[in-house]
Amino acid sequence: MAYAAFRSIGAYVPSKILTNDDLSKMVDTTDEWISKRTGIKERHIAEENETTSDLGVEAAKLAIQRSGIDKSEIDLVICATISPDYFCMPSTATIISKKLELNPVMAFDISAACTGFVYILGIAKAFIESGMKKNVLIIGAEKLSAITDYTDRGTCILFGDGAGAAIISATQNKDEAIIDVHTGADGTYADLLMTPNGGTGSPHDNLEAEAGTCFMQMKGNETFKVAVRTLTKDVKEILQANDIKSDDVKHFIPHQANYRIIKAVGDALKMKEEQVVLTVAKYGNTSGASIPMAVNDIYEQGKLKLGDLMLFDAFGGGLTWGSALIPFSPLK
Ligand code: ACO
């Protein structure tokens, strides 16, 4: 049987930075409020002519280069995004494939908001274990600034742009294998976090008027409470199901939405400070890109070593959630 190994990581952030002080000139907020309530200090914002696929391509180039696998060997491309280049078609994954000059392989997007990267990790694992694919490029890429309402202080302080990518490859060595991926969704909470405009769920008469105003809306406080409850339960379950203790985890890499959510979940799981990877202060919430961007951070700092056990957990619009246990298994 083939197993799925997490071979490499790459990420990209646009150079332009939007600080809390910048935002305080745009909406009624302060650096103090944002820092205290979210832990965010700044976020990166893409240029107007820079697309989600452009961000994804840069992250993917690094992941491919670091994987030791030739790009001609990639046989599946999956992109997790809620800010695709085009809302209906073509998928951002096909555009990324074309820009990277990959073979004309299967490519598609999935929409699971901030849980997107955990979802595509699970999909890549399933394709590899079934024997259908051997080398999967997975990408979380977001230009959230394009779907953020910069007059709404409840959301615009949270989000940023960026991308992260990984190569997941077939292996016969079980020690290298992704251990488990848990995913879930509950549409009961769909209205907590949504882009209510511009789709077939909008009144048809409004479609034209609303085109181009596809902004995120969030009931932040309710989302916060469901997030802490769901994440704690989900992570406890994946650890228990695999007979792994919190102490065995080298890097706990949660979705970077809010420092207070990460702290509450980390404390409930008895994670030590040195286990918890934090990037929320410098990138804000980059939805599907946040986990791979955080993995890339520890990789580039030299902290992510062969065999290190990573624990991902994520939560987002849908509502969706997911967690994963992954040893880092580079080829070189
Ligand atoms: N600056 C100043 N005051 C503000 C701001 C702001 N930027 N935003 C809200 N406030 C005010 C509110 O108006 C409210 O004022 P009131 O008491 O006079 O009514 C007060 O601050 C408290 O508002 P809350 O919404 O209760 O603040 P809270 O502590 O919950 O923080 C936040 C808000 C940061 C949004 C938090 O709820 C949060 O992080 N929620 C979860 C986000 C999340 O995880 N989303 C899922 C992933 S995102 C995805 O899937 C794309």
Side-chain angles (χ1 to χ4, degrees):
M1 179 194 165
Y3 299 103
F6 193 106
R7 292 288 187 220
S8 66
I9 190 71
Y12 173 77
V13 277
S15 55
K16 195 161 91 188
I17 290 175
L18 184 68
T19 65
N20 291 349
D21 284 334
D22 294 333
L23 281 164
S24 70
K25 293 176 194 127
M26 297 158 68
V27 288
D28 182 15
T29 192
T30 60
D31 171 45
E32 194 198 351
W33 193 96
I34 304 170
S35 304
K36 214 161 129 190
R37 298 284 181 125
T38 70
I40 300 167
K41 297 298 285 182
E42 57 189 37
R43 64 292 288 145
H44 291 246
I45 303 293
E47 296 297 333
E48 212 166 307
N49 63 356
E50 210 172 8
T51 61
T52 299
S53 65
D54 291 333
L55 310 183
V57 161
E58 294 309 316
K61 278 184 190 164
L62 269 182
I64 295 168
Q65 184 195 317
R66 291 167 177 170
S67 70
I69 286 161
D70 191 86
K71 69 178 184 179
S72 64
E73 297 173 78
I74 293 170
D75 50 10
L76 172 61
V77 180
I78 318 173
C79 181
T81 185
I82 52 166
S83 48
D85 283 18
Y86 302 100
F87 267 100
C88 299
M89 59 183 172
S91 71
T92 304
T94 59
I95 299 170
I96 291 174
S97 301
K98 164 78 176 68
K99 287 180 178 171
L100 289 170
E101 298 177 340
L102 302 182
N103 290 331
V105 298
M106 182 181 191
F108 62 92
D109 291 357
I110 66 110
S111 167
C114 305
T115 317
F117 193 74
V118 179
Y119 268 51
I120 58 178
L121 185 70
I123 296 168
K125 178 175 182 286
F127 266 103
I128 288 172
E129 288 176 353
S130 72
M132 284 178 73
K133 302 291 174 192
K134 288 197 164 49
N135 295 296
V136 186
L137 169 62
I138 58 172
I139 309 138
E142 301 286 10
K143 184 177 178 179
L144 296 181
S145 58
I147 58 166
T148 297
D149 178 358
Y150 285 99
T151 65
D152 173 16
R153 69 177 182 174
T155 54
C156 73
I157 55 151
L158 300 172
F159 299 108
D161 301 336
I167 294 287
I168 313 298
S169 289
T171 178
Q172 296 302 316
N173 180 355
K174 197 171 180 204
D175 293 340
E176 292 187 324
I178 296 171
I179 297 168
D180 202 359
V181 182
H182 277 202
T183 43
D186 185 354
T188 315
Y189 296 107
D191 68 326
L192 288 189
L193 187 54
M194 65 192 308
T195 51
N197 306 346
T200 56
S202 301
H204 192 74
D205 291 350
N206 294 355
L207 280 181
E208 202 176 327
E210 287 175 346
T213 57
C214 187
F215 293 142
M216 290 179 281
Q217 291 180 12
M218 180 169 66
K219 294 179 184 160
N221 198 275
E222 283 169 65
T223 309
F224 187 103
K225 288 174 198 152
V226 187
V228 173
R229 199 169 60 232
T230 309
L231 285 173
T232 307
K233 182 171 171 288
D234 190 47
V235 176
K236 278 185 178 163
E237 277 172 10
I238 197 169
L239 290 174
Q240 205 170 5
N242 294 284
D243 200 18
I244 288 172
K245 298 191 179 47
S246 296
D247 279 352
D248 302 329
V249 172
K250 179 76 181 174
H251 306 288
F252 175 46
I253 308 169
H255 168 50
Q256 308 283 317
N258 184 318
Y259 173 71
R260 290 188 295 138
I261 297 179
I262 297 171
K263 176 92 173 81
V265 176
D267 286 353
L269 298 167
K270 301 193 168 45
M271 290 288 171
K272 297 183 197 78
E273 213 171 289
E274 60 270 24
Q275 288 173 286
V276 184
V277 178
L278 282 171
T279 58
V280 67
K282 56 181 181 176
Y283 300 142
N285 180 347
T286 56
S287 192
S290 97
I291 288 182
M293 285 168 69
V295 176
N296 185 68
D297 251 50
I298 54 169
Y299 176 80
E300 291 192 348
Q301 288 163 21
K303 292 182 187 163
L304 182 60
K305 301 269 165 40
L306 172 77
D308 280 0
L309 182 61
M310 300 184 281
L311 169 61
F312 297 169
D313 90 68
F315 177 89
L319 293 178
T320 57
W321 59 87
S323 53
L325 282 163
I326 314 112
F328 184 54
S329 306
L331 277 176
K332 49 181 184 179

